[in-house]
RNA sequence: GGGCAGGUACCCAAGUGGACAACGGGGGCAGACUGUAAAUCUGCUGGCGCAAGCCUUCGGAGGUUCGAAUCCUUCCCUGCCCA
């Protein structure tokens, strides 16, 4: 495909490309470009936030380019200073191997394995001598590194910044040198690191990588970046039910952003949703419903997506019971409600169970239980509900 | 090495001898409402107990006191200034 056309495709949904001219120049050579993305081996679960970047990679692959995934098994020991990540626990070789096996299983739901390369940065970073290290460090100033947003913020607020952390951008940059990256992708929060890669390559007389930043996807709380450590993520291998529900819980304002960044829906269709929502013609609930169906279809199947949708309506709109009601055998003829909640594990403590009973969150066969001394008779199976999402069929 | 300021629950943060299981915010959970597990409003958010109350918790360890998150000693950790 001609370079200009490729460029247009690649540019969609990006925040910034530095520089566009250089990218076009690279594309015009009509040879496969090496597109780098760093991945963190300590978080083997791929979620929609990461999928934004992986999907962009996929796009490159479809245009004939190569995805080069740099597994940060070395830099993982440091932990990217962005976010308030504490010093990460050192991973053993086995853990990394295990995590990566899990990672690969998921990643090829998005990427094309034939055009994907994996390399572990311990291979070259671990081989650096202290002399090499000093040589690299001597080309970068503290002031320049401290310009980085999160460093300067931490410094200003008196939050510690450790020496190994300020080395992080240099190591990541060196990865680009080692794999001879043409382009590096990252979230907008990665801009600084990506730029350091460019500089380092130039220092070493290499053609600098082009950097491309992509939007950060907010998690289910609608505020913070989707991340495993915030617990606001939607994993691409989650069960259809879970996935559907989590998507329905994102704030309405994020619906369009999710469509754009995480789905394969055509732009004109998304435009339709956008204007429909703006003008109040479409109910946000219905559009979000479409979003949930789309994502479940992408990561499971069309059929499962339909089923999840029906199930969701059944439980939350019609307030009926789920189809796959789990059973719990208690081995007793009757039991106090609090004990029951504890035995089934639906409540973490007796105090919590009592609280929830008083709040009216517990019901048996559709009848709210408000008395903490209520005794449940089990001469026939009953359905215990705790809150909106927890159901169990109790049998004696 | 010296001086100063700090370390509080999942996170941020108030509290500086009793009224503190500890203000407030975030997050979480629940209820109401809603064609949404959205938004909004309300409640709850250490454990055991029907309750009175008891137990555990304020960086660690000791101590003073009838009584400590709050005072003292010591240790560990962080920031700032000086060297």
């Amino acid at each position: 495909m001609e370079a200009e056309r490729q460029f247009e495709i690649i540019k969609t949904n990006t925040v910034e490309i530095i520089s566009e001219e250089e990218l076009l120049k690279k594309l015009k050579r009509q040879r496969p470009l090496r597109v780098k993305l760093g991945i963190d081996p300590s978080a083997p679960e791929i979620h929609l936030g990461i999928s934004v970047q992986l999907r962009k990679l996929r796009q490159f692959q479809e245009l004939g380019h190569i995805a080069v995934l740099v597994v940060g098994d070395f830099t993982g020991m440091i932990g990217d200073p962005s976010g308030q990540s504490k010093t990460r626990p050192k991973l053993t070789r086995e853990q990394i191997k295990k995590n990566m096996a899990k990672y690969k299983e998921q990643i090829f739901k998005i990427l094309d394995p034939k055009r994907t390369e994996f390399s572990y940065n311990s291979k070259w970073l671990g081989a650096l001598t202290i002399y090499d290290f000093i040589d690299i460090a001597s080309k970068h100033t503290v002031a320049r590194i401290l310009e980085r947003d999160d460093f300067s913020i931490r410094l200003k607020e008196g939050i510690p910044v450790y020496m190994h952390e300020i080395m992080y951008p240099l190591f990541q940059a060196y990865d680009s040198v080692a794999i001879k990256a043409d382009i590096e992708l990252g979230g907008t929060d990665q801009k600084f690191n990506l730029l350091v890669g460019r500089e380092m390559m130039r220092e070493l007389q290499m053609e600098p990588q082009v950097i491309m930043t992509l939007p950060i996807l907010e998690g289910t709380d609608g505020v913070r970046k989707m991340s495993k450590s915030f617990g606001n993520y939607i994993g691409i291998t989650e069960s259809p039910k879970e996935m559907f529900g989590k998507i329905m819980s994102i704030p309405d304002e994020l619906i369009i952003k999710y469509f754009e960044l995480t789905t394969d829906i055509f732009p004109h269709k998304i435009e339709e949703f956008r204007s429909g929502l703006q003008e109040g013609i479409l109910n946000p609930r219905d559009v979000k419903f479409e979003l949930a169906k789309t994502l479940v279809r992408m990561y499971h199947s069309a059929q499962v997506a339909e089923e999840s949708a029906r199930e969701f309506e059944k439980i939350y709109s019609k307030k009926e019971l789920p189809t796959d009601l789990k059973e719990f055998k208690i081995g007793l003829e009757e039991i106090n409600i609090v004990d029951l909640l504890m035995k089934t594990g639906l409540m973490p403590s007796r105090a919590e169970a009592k609280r929830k009973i008083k709040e009216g969150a517990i019901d048996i066969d559709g009848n709210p239980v408000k008395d903490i001394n209520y005794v449940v008779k089990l001469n026939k199976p009953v359905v215990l509900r705790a809150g909106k999402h927890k159901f169990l069929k109790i049998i004696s």
Side-chain angles (χ1 to χ4, degrees):
Chain A
M1 193 185 292
E2 64 181 85
E4 284 79 8
R5 178 77 193 110
Q6 285 196 42
F7 180 82
E8 284 313 313
I9 294 173
I10 288 166
K11 198 183 164 187
T12 54
N13 289 325
T14 61
V15 174
E16 199 174 13
I17 296 173
I18 301 176
S19 69
E20 300 198 358
E21 296 73 43
E22 285 178 34
L23 175 57
L24 197 55
K25 207 171 97 195
K26 282 175 189 273
L27 289 170
K28 279 186 174 156
R29 289 185 199 134
Q30 295 295 343
R31 62 161 179 83
L33 297 176
R34 298 173 59 74
V35 187
K36 174 192 172 197
L37 179 71
I39 57 178
D40 172 10
S42 67
E45 217 172 325
I46 296 181
H47 55 65
L48 292 181
I50 301 164
S51 85
V52 174
Q53 295 166 25
L54 292 175
R55 288 168 48 75
K56 180 55 74 181
L57 265 187
R58 170 76 197 195
Q59 210 172 44
F60 271 105
Q61 289 182 325
E62 280 164 4
L63 296 169
H65 304 291
I66 313 276
V68 184
L69 297 174
V70 176
V71 182
D73 60 339
F74 190 89
T75 36
M77 296 192 298
I78 303 175
D80 186 356
S82 72
Q84 43 290 71
S85 59
K86 320 226 156 51
T87 311
R88 296 187 188 183
K90 208 167 155 178
L91 293 172
T92 64
R93 208 171 276 270
E94 289 77 63
Q95 281 173 314
I96 289 173
K97 213 172 152 186
K98 218 170 102 191
N99 285 356
M100 287 316 295
K102 200 172 156 195
Y103 201 93
K104 284 181 187 173
E105 236 171 69
Q106 303 169 57
I107 206 166
F108 293 126
K109 279 175 181 279
I110 299 175
L111 293 183
D112 174 0
K114 288 197 287 294
R115 293 183 178 278
T116 304
E117 241 178 70
F118 276 94
S119 19
Y120 291 74
N121 69 4
S122 60
K123 190 174 153 197
W124 51 84
L125 292 177
L128 290 179
T129 66
I130 194 86
Y131 299 103
D132 302 324
F133 178 82
I134 287 171
D135 188 48
I136 292 170
S138 70
K139 294 196 175 73
H140 299 264
T141 67
V142 172
R144 171 79 180 101
I145 293 290
L146 293 183
E147 273 174 33
R148 201 179 123 142
D149 221 23
D150 33 32
F151 284 146
S152 55
I153 289 170
R154 280 162 68 180
L155 233 36
K156 209 178 297 166
E157 296 186 350
I159 300 163
V161 174
Y162 293 91
M163 295 196 52
H164 70 296
E165 293 184 291
I166 64 174
M167 296 307 299
Y168 189 95
L170 297 187
F171 289 139
Q172 183 173 331
Y174 193 79
D175 290 343
S176 295
V177 171
I179 64 146
K180 299 186 174 61
D182 284 302
I183 303 172
E184 180 166 9
L185 302 187
T188 48
D189 56 350
Q190 283 290 312
K191 182 173 170 184
F192 182 93
N193 291 349
L194 303 180
L195 283 170
V196 176
R198 247 171 100 74
E199 284 164 24
M200 192 179 288
M201 291 172 90
R202 205 179 279 130
E203 273 158 25
L204 298 172
Q205 321 298 330
M206 295 169 73
E207 180 179 306
Q209 63 180 0
V210 167
I211 72 161
M212 174 179 283
T213 55
L214 301 169
I216 301 288
L217 188 72
E218 289 84 357
T220 49
D221 57 5
V223 181
R224 291 179 300 178
K225 171 183 178 176
M226 184 179 287
S227 143
K228 188 156 188 199
S229 46
F230 294 146
N232 62 355
Y233 71 101
I234 304 170
I236 66 166
T237 51
E238 292 196 59
S239 73
K241 194 179 164 189
E242 198 70 14
M243 192 184 270
F244 203 98
K246 282 189 179 182
I247 294 160
M248 289 307 284
S249 80
I250 66 166
D252 291 353
E253 298 73 58
L254 284 176
I255 296 173
I256 295 300
K257 188 167 183 183
Y258 267 64
F259 260 118
E260 285 176 337
L261 297 179
T262 68
T263 71
D264 50 16
I265 294 292
F266 290 118
H268 70 264
K269 188 76 193 158
I270 297 178
E271 225 14 78
E272 225 171 84
F273 287 143
R274 187 204 305 276
S275 53
L277 284 174
Q278 259 166 16
E279 289 159 34
I281 301 164
L282 293 173
N283 184 329
R285 182 258 181 206
D286 297 331
V287 183
K288 209 193 286 180
F289 212 73
E290 273 314 304
L291 176 67
K293 271 205 275 192
T294 304
L295 283 161
V296 174
R297 170 177 58 69
M298 286 169 60
Y299 293 107
H300 294 280
S301 72
Q303 194 198 334
V304 170
E306 285 307 320
E307 284 166 17
S308 314
R310 274 199 297 277
E311 188 72 7
F312 186 88
E313 282 196 309
K314 191 173 171 186
I315 301 174
Y316 298 108
S317 302
K318 299 182 189 152
K319 311 257 185 238
E320 288 172 12
L321 296 172
T323 320
D324 60 338
L325 193 57
K326 285 205 182 64
E327 294 190 352
F328 189 93
K329 209 173 172 68
I330 199 95
L332 291 166
E333 285 306 309
E334 53 176 48
I335 184 169
N336 170 273
I337 183 68
V338 176
D339 295 326
L340 179 63
L341 286 166
M342 287 305 287
K343 273 223 158 76
T344 52
L346 291 181
M347 289 289 149
S349 71
R350 297 180 66 83
E352 174 77 3
K354 289 175 192 169
R355 234 180 269 132
K356 287 292 170 257
I357 292 168
K358 285 175 191 151
E359 288 173 5
I362 310 299
D363 82 44
I364 297 265
D365 285 337
N367 306 311
V369 175
K370 297 249 183 180
D371 177 11
I372 57 172
N373 291 313
Y374 184 81
V375 174
V376 186
K377 298 238 179 339
L378 293 168
N379 41 17
K380 62 177 173 23
V382 297
V383 175
L384 172 66
R385 185 183 62 89
K388 286 173 194 150
H389 330 124
K390 295 180 197 158
F391 299 88
L392 271 184
K393 186 177 200 172
I394 309 296
I395 43 185
S396 61

